[in-house]
Amino acid sequence: MLLKIVFFTSNYLLSSYASLVVVITTNYFRVISKDWTHVGRADASDELKLTFALKQQNIHLLEERLRLVSDPDSAHYGKYLSLEEVASLVRPSELTQKTVHSWLQHHGISSCHTVHTQDFLQCTMTAEIAEKLLPGSRFHHYVRDGQSIVRSSGPYAVSDNVHQHLDFVGGLHRLPPTKKDGNRKQQKFKGEVHLGVTPAILRERYNLTAADVGSDQDNRQAVAQFLEQYYHPADLAEFMSIFGRTFKHLSEVDQVIGTQGEGKAGIEASLDVEYIMSTGANISTWVFSNSGRHESQEPFLQWILLLSNMSDLPRVHTISYGDDEDSLSTAYMMRINTEFMKAGVRGISLLFASGDNGAGCRHMGKDQNTFRPSFPASSPYVTTVGGTSFKNPFKVSYEVTDYISGGGFSNVFKMPDYQASAVEAYLKTGTSALPPASYFNTSGRAYPDMAALSKNYWVVMDRVPIPWVSGTSASTPVVGGMLSLINGQRFAKGLPALGFLNPLLYKLKGQGLFDVTEGCQQACLDEQVQGKGFCSAPSWDPVTGWGTPNYPALLQALLNERPEL
């Protein structure tokens, strides 16, 4: 029997060479030694939950369908698929399902749950059985900041006849990002005078009136919270009592999917919920709570599985979560991209924060650096939101780049057709101000797609108003809330949800948005770039995208069945 030899680090990159299938990943031992403390070997009886991503069918047809339903020039624009139709399209073949099930049953594993699309299996087993199922794996306990996880510290092997039916196995190696990657910062007051961003400030800047609130009972929006981040209902109620007096709003989340923790509230979770519900005011809001309390679960993957298993979902989801591309495998990211496509063909808009590290920086060796793109921000199938700040900190003025705003070019995903002309124009007109070509991939997916204010927000946490909270986890729910309002207006006219926004956004070429043309993001502190990444410019740029929302103009641009392009 041929074996798949897995050389292990932080994820699961599958590639074939002769009769061996080799999994090569990076940086795991560096991450473990830096951020996590090894406690000891897992007990043989420790319970694990591993996720098996089965190979799907018809991915090329799924991608083509997404293009058609998202392109306003297509006769299929807005004609979304149901979950059942998506399942029929991508469901793994009978051979794949039989092979994987038989393999698991052969090892005595019967406690498995699938999703509606049948392309994921989540199975419970002991550490002892897992190590027999995946020879070479050795499970250990690790802790960090009170959080405990179980992960494998060694290579594992899977027979080749099984490998060809799997994209990856989740719950073995993948580590939660460190808190600094959570896309939020609390700024310390350093003498600058700024009263801070509140819902009233946002409504003034983006031209939302008191009448711009939701009214459609079937319209819903959602945020997802991970990594032991929780919102508290009392904080939301207090926030709205302080900052929501001038517009109609809801003070309670309608539905929590998952487990809502009872511990201390998190700034990021509070920020997400409070601001999507104040820009997307009076709209039913769901919270997907994926704390990853089971030691072998991966919270982000749990959220992905929920999307594949729920037929009735909110139309807008905002997520403030990301990792460096180079810390993940191509196989893992490609499969997650397919999950994003599955959401898009159902008419769901996925918005991701672009990150708070500017262009990022990866040290490749002595005097050799490159920029460091982030995923899922770099996915071609999501709308990525960057960050801005006021030019004049004393008043509601025009916006400039927030230096933390994540953005750049993917090293994994090619540039999608919908953005090619916009990015080409930026690269041509900004030649003199561009970083050296060795720092980024000019043919990669470029992001972000749009932006909003990301600096100096007020948040209520533990019933206390907290100022100067910053990050693209602020700008993302702000944009998401406005897109939810626009969906409500579209529903009132009998139009479909916006769905995957990017093809339409790039065809609008900045219509309905305030262009941001000043400021640069942070990057590598070295001789060549001296801490400066990409800079904003007229039209699209890889720091603020097409700009920030001018709500009434954006509403007008997106309210037409066939928007005027």
Side-chain angles (χ1 to χ4, degrees), residues 9 60 67 131 210 212 259 270 277 286 364 421 434 518:
T9 57
H60 63 293
R67 185 189 68 80
E131 290 179 358
D212 291 317
T259 303
S270 302
M277 292 184 68
W286 292 15
M364 305 295 290
S421 60
L434 286 175
E518 292 183 28

Side-chain angles (χ1 to χ4, degrees), residues 89-378:
L89 187 63
V90 303
R91 183 179 291 120
S93 68
E94 289 186 13
L95 176 61
T96 289
Q97 295 185 61
K98 181 178 179 180
T99 300
V100 175
H101 280 280
S102 297
W103 172 58
L104 294 169
Q105 290 169 2
H106 176 73
H107 288 83
I109 300 168
S110 58
S111 179
C112 294
H113 300 280
T114 189
V115 294
H116 193 78
T117 48
Q118 297 181 314
D119 46 6
F120 283 105
L121 275 176
Q122 192 164 62
C123 302
T124 302
M125 66 199 76
T126 64
E128 180 180 24
I129 290 178
E131 290 179 358
K132 290 179 180 178
L133 179 74
L134 305 167
S137 61
R138 291 173 63 84
F139 289 90
H140 294 256
H141 287 275
Y142 299 90
V143 296
R144 182 191 67 191
D145 299 331
Q147 182 183 7
S148 175
I149 62 171
V150 173
R151 294 293 186 269
S152 173
S153 63
Y156 65 90
V158 175
S159 60
D160 188 56
N161 69 307
V162 173
H163 156 260
Q164 61 186 302
H165 298 287
L166 289 175
D167 282 327
F168 66 83
V169 181
L172 274 88
H173 304 146
R174 180 82 179 87
L175 290 168
T178 56
K179 289 186 178 180
K180 67 182 178 62
D181 294 323
N183 292 333
R184 67 105 182 106
K185 297 180 180 178
Q186 186 176 355
Q187 302 279 348
K188 291 185 177 180
F189 185 68
K190 297 182 179 179
E192 62 178 352
V193 178
H194 197 297
L195 296 179
V197 174
T198 65
I201 296 294
L202 291 169
R203 286 180 163 267
E204 181 179 352
R205 168 57 187 158
Y206 297 134
N207 294 318
L208 287 151
T209 69
D212 291 317
V213 296
S215 58
D216 190 301
Q217 298 299 310
D218 295 324
N219 193 14
R220 286 164 294 166
Q221 58 192 1
V223 299
Q225 56 190 29
F226 308 104
L227 306 179
E228 300 293 333
Q229 281 279 330
Y230 307 110
Y231 92 97
H232 276 192
D235 291 340
L236 175 60
E238 183 73 9
F239 178 86
M240 288 301 184
S241 72
I242 298 171
F243 299 113
R245 297 174 181 174
T246 60
F247 55 92
K248 187 177 181 181
H249 61 267
L250 300 175
S251 296
E252 294 181 358
V253 166
D254 274 351
Q255 193 164 345
V256 175
I257 309 297
T259 303
Q260 173 66 12
E262 299 297 330
K264 184 178 179 180
I267 288 182
E268 183 169 317
S270 302
L271 180 70
D272 290 346
V273 173
E274 290 166 9
Y275 279 92
I276 197 172
M277 292 184 68
S278 53
T279 51
N282 208 44
I283 294 175
S284 173
T285 302
W286 292 15
V287 171
F288 285 78
S289 184
N290 301 277
S291 62
R293 281 192 171 274
H294 193 288
E295 290 185 312
S296 63
Q297 283 185 328
E298 299 174 25
F300 182 72
L301 196 53
Q302 291 298 114
W303 173 74
I304 288 290
L305 265 64
L306 284 171
L307 295 187
S308 286
N309 212 32
M310 299 180 68
S311 59
D312 188 19
L313 286 167
R315 292 297 190 172
V316 173
H317 294 243
T318 76
I319 305 98
S320 304
Y321 182 89
D323 244 341
D324 299 324
E325 273 188 350
D326 58 83
S327 73
L328 304 168
S329 77
T330 300
Y332 177 86
M333 290 185 283
M334 289 296 187
R335 175 55 186 264
I336 297 301
N337 269 350
T338 301
E339 300 309 306
F340 294 157
M341 285 193 282
K342 285 163 59 179
V345 297
R346 295 173 62 191
I348 297 168
S349 302
L350 299 178
L351 278 68
F352 276 86
S354 70
D356 297 340
N357 297 316
C361 188
R362 186 182 185 193
H363 304 289
M364 305 295 290
K366 185 178 180 181
D367 301 323
Q368 184 181 2
N369 297 324
T370 64
F371 293 158
R372 198 170 202 176
S374 174
F375 179 84
S378 64

